[in-house]
Amino acid sequence: MNSLHFTAESSSNGMVQRDFAVGEVPGVLWSPAPGADRAPLILLAHDGGKHKKHPAMTGRAHRLVTGCGFHVAVIDAPGHGDRPRTARDEREKLALAGARAAGEPVGPIVLRHNAHVAELVVPEWQATLDALQELPEIGTDGQVGFFGVRMGTAIGVPLVAVEPRITAAVFGLHWPDDLAEKAKQITIPIEFAMQWDDEHIPREAGLALFDAFASKEKTLHANAGKQGELPRFEADSAVHFFARHFGRAVTLPA
Amino acid sequence: MNSLHFTAESSSNGMVQRDFAVGEVPGVLWSPAPGADRAPLILLAHDGGKHKKHPAMTGRAHRLVTGCGFHVAVIDAPGHGDRPRTARDEREKLALAGARAAGEPVGPIVLRHNAHVAELVVPEWQATLDALQELPEIGTDGQVGFFGVRMGTAIGVPLVAVEPRITAAVFGLHWPDDLAEKAKQITIPIEFAMQWDDEHIPREAGLALFDAFASKEKTLHANAGKQGELPRFEADSAVHFFARHFGRAVTLPA
């Protein structure tokens, strides 16, 4: 088993940021002030083309850490952030840009890319979780959640389907194609976000993926607007969701 | 115009409860401690067969008053609570009990009853709002929200469609039949709750009513489970929704 090496540490805005590596995989762990009690860990997954410290990640992490006292970890997915790009990654990037420029549907390219990344990164997430749980402030018996939309959902659904340590998850903004069969194996509480007027994912497709989860407790949040208009308050909603399931109080700014 | 008469006052659990009457309509106003600043008013509507002080009303009021400092008002709908029942009310009650006992669909009876009550109570709600706004702690230029599911939605949709003073609303658990045309006239922010496995309202019917609202900002919350299993955390979600739109901080227990 690869253990975790911290490579940098800083502190700002009420949270401690520690860069780490587990084998070849670079990640970042955000935590409450040192010396805080053991706390649940939320695994965040970044979107396709983004990276572990993208503002969407730091923003969500800040609300989870300062609002609830959680630990939050993100790793760079293969071909993203500080990790090398393969010839395949470059081809897919060009294919996506070409489809966008030509006004053609991007769905097939995004789906193919997301499935490929998910296959590579699921075992990396499991190894990262093994290593993170060796830290005394997280622990092997601590609560673990997962939060990722778009490519983060393409990664999270197969991860949660095989990973019993994750007991609550927030997903969203994805097609059911590669994921519905795995979603049927998932029974933990989930919250699922979709955009009612998504220009890429048909409404019926978003509803079908939500429907596929076998979870007794599952909540769909559908907001008016296109895919890029997912409201920021859904990040707060995710904080409340994890707080509810992990028995934590929430202190968020108005 | 009928003015408002207070008929009783008490205080417990951090809120002041004042019974009132506007003409023949009895209501209750829950408020923060006396002397608090002017605050937004949330109009709550009770469900069919229930009344203004049903636990679902007092529970929601308590979270809105103590969590956000709002005023909350409920009136007894015609034929409910402290108001007289007509021969029609008694017939509908028997029809509903008969359908339930025979295992027949209750939808047509509920729809007919809700539409009748709504027609009577919408002008009563407007007169009540007129009278409540005469109170200095509410004021004629204060913010006003509406919160009601089931029969509360059958009342709230036509009320909000004609009442520009209401600028944010939480609805849910209803068929589109009598309401979709009025929902198309509504443009204020809404949150809409439905149950994914509702045994009375088909999934497509719930989705169709949500779809009908013309609001640029609208959020659907669909939870797994039957109609009676609407999760309690949706009441908290409504508090956060009103707090967001009325610029208030929220302090809720974990």
Side-chain angles (χ1 to χ4, degrees):
Chain A
M1 174 179 137
N2 279 310
S3 64
L4 182 147
H5 304 269
F6 285 116
T7 55
E9 176 166 344
S10 63
S11 189
S12 70
N13 269 329
M15 58 183 190
V16 178
Q17 170 179 300
R18 285 177 288 177
D19 293 6
F20 67 77
V22 175
E24 301 295 308
V25 179
V28 58
L29 177 64
W30 287 291
S31 299
D37 286 344
R38 189 173 280 202
L41 169 67
I42 310 297
L43 310 178
L44 280 191
H46 65 75
D47 192 12
K50 307 295 196 303
H51 60 87
K52 63 184 179 303
K53 290 183 186 172
H54 186 272
M57 298 295 101
T58 55
R60 285 169 201 173
H62 188 253
R63 297 185 97 66
L64 288 160
V65 170
T66 63
C68 268
F70 293 141
H71 300 280
V72 176
V74 196
I75 59 174
D76 281 333
H80 291 75
D82 297 331
R83 302 184 66 177
R85 274 66 165 166
T86 63
R88 177 186 176 129
D89 294 331
E90 299 299 343
R91 279 200 310 277
E92 292 292 49
K93 195 174 165 182
L94 284 172
L96 189 62
R100 282 200 179 121
E104 289 166 3
V106 298
I109 300 164
V110 172
L111 273 168
R112 182 176 68 208
H113 179 252
N114 286 359
H116 175 68
V117 171
E119 199 177 336
L120 298 174
V121 80
V122 165
E124 294 178 348
W125 262 122
Q126 294 192 284
T128 302
L129 181 53
D130 291 343
L132 286 165
Q133 288 194 319
E134 294 294 314
L135 299 172
E137 64 269 40
I138 293 175
T140 52
D141 58 351
Q143 293 167 306
V144 184
F146 179 92
F147 181 7
V149 299
R150 297 192 183 89
M151 190 179 82
T153 285
I155 291 165
V157 170
L159 174 63
V160 170
V162 298
E163 184 45 79
R165 288 175 289 184
I166 300 172
T167 56
V170 177
F171 297 127
L173 301 178
H174 211 279
W175 298 259
D177 303 52
D178 296 311
L179 301 184
E181 285 307 310
K182 292 204 167 70
K184 287 179 189 168
Q185 302 165 31
I186 291 177
T187 56
I188 62 168
I190 65 148
E191 189 164 284
F192 185 91
M194 66 176 277
Q195 287 296 96
W196 198 240
D197 312 293
D198 195 306
E199 70 277 35
H200 301 301
I201 305 169
R203 190 177 292 171
E204 294 65 32
L207 293 172
L209 179 50
F210 171 69
D211 194 45
F213 288 94
S215 311
K216 189 169 179 303
E217 185 173 333
K218 60 179 180 180
T219 305
L220 173 70
H221 285 187
N223 284 283
K226 295 191 173 186
Q227 188 174 119
E229 296 174 323
L230 178 70
R232 289 203 174 199
F233 59 72
E234 288 298 345
D236 287 344
S237 179
V239 174
H240 287 289
F241 169 83
F242 288 119
R244 201 165 70 233
H245 289 291
F246 295 154
R248 291 260 160 170
V250 183
T251 315
L252 286 176
Chain B
M1 175 179 137
N2 280 309
S3 64
L4 182 147
H5 304 269
F6 286 116
T7 56
E9 175 166 346
S10 63
S11 190
S12 68
N13 270 327
M15 59 183 190
V16 178
Q17 168 178 303
R18 285 177 289 178
D19 292 6
F20 66 77
V22 176
E24 301 296 308
V25 179
V28 59
L29 176 64
W30 287 291
S31 299
D37 286 343
R38 190 174 280 202
L41 169 67
I42 311 297
L43 310 178
L44 281 190
H46 65 75
D47 192 14
K50 306 297 197 302
H51 60 86
K52 63 184 179 302
K53 292 184 185 171
H54 186 271
M57 298 295 101
T58 55
R60 285 169 201 173
H62 188 254
R63 299 186 95 68
L64 288 160
V65 171
T66 63
C68 269
F70 294 141
H71 299 281
V72 176
V74 196
I75 60 174
D76 281 331
H80 291 76
D82 296 332
R83 302 185 66 178
R85 273 68 167 163
T86 63
R88 178 186 175 128
D89 294 330
E90 299 299 342
R91 279 200 310 276
E92 292 291 49
K93 196 173 164 182
L94 284 172
L96 190 62
R100 283 199 176 121
E104 288 165 5
V106 298
I109 301 164
V110 172
L111 273 168
R112 182 177 67 209
H113 179 253
N114 286 358
H116 175 69
V117 171
E119 198 178 336
L120 298 174
V121 81
V122 164
E124 295 178 348
W125 262 123
Q126 295 192 283
T128 302
L129 180 53
D130 291 343
L132 285 165
Q133 288 194 319
E134 294 293 313
L135 299 173
E137 63 269 40
I138 293 175
T140 52
D141 58 351
Q143 293 166 307
V144 183
F146 180 92
F147 181 7
V149 298
R150 298 191 182 89
M151 190 178 83
T153 286
I155 292 165
V157 169
L159 174 63
V160 170
V162 298
E163 183 46 79
R165 289 175 289 183
I166 300 172
T167 56
V170 177
F171 297 127
L173 301 178
H174 211 278
W175 299 258
D177 303 50
D178 296 311
L179 301 183
E181 284 308 310
K182 293 204 166 69
K184 288 179 190 168
Q185 303 166 31
I186 292 177
T187 57
I188 61 168
I190 64 147
E191 188 165 284
F192 185 91
M194 65 177 277
Q195 287 296 97
W196 199 241
D197 312 292
D198 195 308
E199 70 278 33
H200 301 300
I201 305 169
R203 189 176 293 171
E204 293 65 32
L207 293 172
L209 180 51
F210 171 69
D211 193 46
F213 289 94
S215 310
K216 190 168 179 299
E217 185 173 335
K218 59 179 180 179
T219 305
L220 173 71
H221 285 187
N223 283 283
K226 295 191 174 186
Q227 187 174 120
E229 295 173 324
L230 178 70
R232 289 205 174 197
F233 59 74
E234 289 297 346
D236 286 345
S237 178
V239 175
H240 288 288
F241 169 83
F242 288 118
R244 201 164 70 233
H245 289 292
F246 294 156
R248 290 261 160 170
V250 182
T251 315
L252 285 176

